[in-house]
Amino acid sequence: MAIADAGSVHRAAQQLGMPQPALSRQLAEAERLLEVRLFDRSSHGMAPTSAGKAVLPRCQLLLRLLGGIRNIGQQRRPQILLGCVQRSMQTMMPIVLGRWQPLHEPLGTREEPLLRVLEGDSLSLWHLLLDGKLDFAVLREQPQARANPQALLVQHLYDDHTAIICAGDHPVLRSGEVPLERLPDFGWALPQVGRTSRAILDRMLADRGCAPIQPVIEARSFESLIDVVASTRLLSIAPAMVVQKYVKAGKLRTIAVRPALPATPISLACHPEILEDPWMETFRSELHQAGVRLRQAARSRRAAPSQAVRG
């Protein structure tokens, strides 16, 4: 790991505080035991081979597990590194942070928090997890998960639904289900291109022969879009779970469209080995229970009288 980070045995040995020949012997012994060459040597330094790139993430994970053993010996619980997509930050993390009792215990003498959460997009979080830089990731399921050579464990948590929204007092969209093809006739405020919900909407319109929507406003956060839509005649899209409080307050309405936007699965991914640590398994269970609560809330919402735009 040190050689990969430093780019050379010389710099790695300096960082580790050990003689360069000793580190070279350790590398040679590792390559002999694994029966592969881990680095390509050149005048520019050392770069991992394809085998080295496959081995390094496992080394990163092993180092974290070894750190956990040290924490057990010192009667300290290891820090958990969690990656989370933005939507789940707004829906799932409040449940987890509210329920997970260790977060509400006195900090004591810990030099670091028990939990660190990184927000990011699904693809970035997936690669951070593969590289051993996260313990868990809450993300939209990646295609690689179905045929993953590194055997990440991927478990479904809940389905994420996207709602089409307008202001609570919108004067036009007041009756019946609205055909999806009619929606481009209105002004829009949308997430930036590349966001999953935007791609789903564009794809559904394209399947019906409609040109992509040219929004009046593009924003990075759903909060910005919600505030704009609540005070204008623009339409937008946002997580169904997030907009419920605005609907109840009368600031927004959800628009019943035909056909409805499809739900996308939100999953929990991790390396199976990390669950051998009881502390990590306890946290995984907490994430799973939060997913159960979100699924139950979604069922209750569908069973309740709709506040969508209908006649």
Side-chain angles (χ1 to χ4, degrees):
M1 289 299 302
I3 294 169
D5 290 340
S8 76
V9 172
H10 176 70
R11 287 192 293 271
Q14 287 181 325
Q15 293 173 6
L16 293 172
M18 63 186 299
Q20 178 177 333
L23 183 57
S24 296
R25 286 195 297 273
Q26 287 192 12
L27 174 59
E29 178 66 4
E31 291 181 322
R32 185 189 69 80
L33 290 171
L34 295 175
E35 298 181 345
V36 293
R37 185 162 50 89
L38 296 175
F39 292 91
D40 285 322
R41 286 81 164 167
S42 73
S43 57
H44 301 292
M46 302 181 68
T49 62
S50 58
K53 291 177 181 178
V55 168
L56 286 168
R58 313 301 288 184
C59 293
Q60 181 78 19
L61 178 62
L62 286 170
L63 287 175
R64 283 193 55 74
L65 291 174
L66 288 171
I69 293 174
R70 185 183 305 113
N71 285 319
I72 292 172
Q74 298 173 353
Q75 296 184 335
R76 298 174 70 244
R77 292 171 292 196
Q79 183 182 67
I80 297 174
L81 303 179
L82 170 68
C84 192
V85 291
Q86 182 191 21
R87 289 196 171 203
S88 295
M89 288 287 287
Q90 296 170 305
T91 56
M92 188 170 187
M93 288 314 300
I95 298 175
V96 174
L97 298 179
R99 278 176 45 94
W100 199 41
Q101 188 59 41
L103 288 178
H104 304 277
E105 297 174 357
L107 291 178
T109 59
R110 288 189 65 87
E111 298 177 356
E112 58 188 20
L114 291 174
L115 174 67
R116 288 187 59 199
V117 183
L118 169 69
E119 181 183 299
D121 64 88
S122 293
L123 186 60
S124 298
L125 296 178
W126 180 262
H127 287 295
L128 286 172
L129 188 63
L130 284 175
D131 290 343
K133 297 177 181 178
L134 292 174
D135 298 315
F136 300 95
V138 176
L139 37 63
R140 297 179 190 271
E141 185 175 338
Q142 298 296 299
Q144 302 98 309
R146 301 187 185 94
N148 175 37
Q150 299 199 43
L152 289 182
L153 177 64
V154 179
Q155 298 175 314
H156 178 257
L157 290 174
Y158 66 98
D159 289 325
D160 180 59
H161 295 265
T162 297
I164 298 179
I165 56 175
C166 66
D169 60 351
H170 198 293
V172 179
L173 297 168
R174 287 189 174 277
S175 62
E177 289 188 336
V178 180
L180 189 66
E181 294 86 346
R182 186 186 170 196
L183 296 183
D185 297 338
F186 297 90
W188 282 80
L190 285 175
Q192 292 177 332
V193 173
R195 302 297 293 270
T196 302
S197 54
R198 172 82 178 267
I200 290 173
L201 178 62
D202 287 345
R203 185 165 58 248
M204 289 188 68
L205 289 170
D207 290 344
R208 283 153 184 79
C210 301
I213 292 172
Q214 300 299 321
V216 177
I217 296 174
E218 289 184 292
R220 296 182 63 182
S221 71
F222 289 110
E223 291 86 351
S224 299
L225 298 175
I226 288 171
D227 290 339
V228 167
V229 170
S231 57
T232 67
R233 296 296 174 252
L234 298 176
L235 275 55
S236 189
I237 52 178
M241 293 181 182
V242 172
V243 302
Q244 286 306 300
K245 61 182 178 181
Y246 300 95
V247 172
K248 291 179 180 178
K251 295 182 178 180
L252 295 176
R253 285 182 291 157
T254 57
I255 301 170
V257 297
R258 184 179 65 251
L261 300 184
T264 55
I266 299 293
S267 300
L268 171 65
C270 67
H271 288 279
E273 296 92 335
I274 206 166
L275 299 180
E276 296 178 13
D277 183 331
W279 177 244
M280 297 294 182
E281 171 57 28
T282 298
F283 185 69
R284 184 211 63 81
S285 178
E286 201 63 52
L287 292 171
H288 175 73
Q289 289 302 315
V292 169
R293 292 186 62 178
L294 289 173
R295 295 198 300 272
Q296 291 171 342
R299 286 195 294 269
S300 299
R301 190 172 61 250
R302 290 194 295 270
S306 175
Q307 298 189 56
V309 179
R310 296 181 183 273

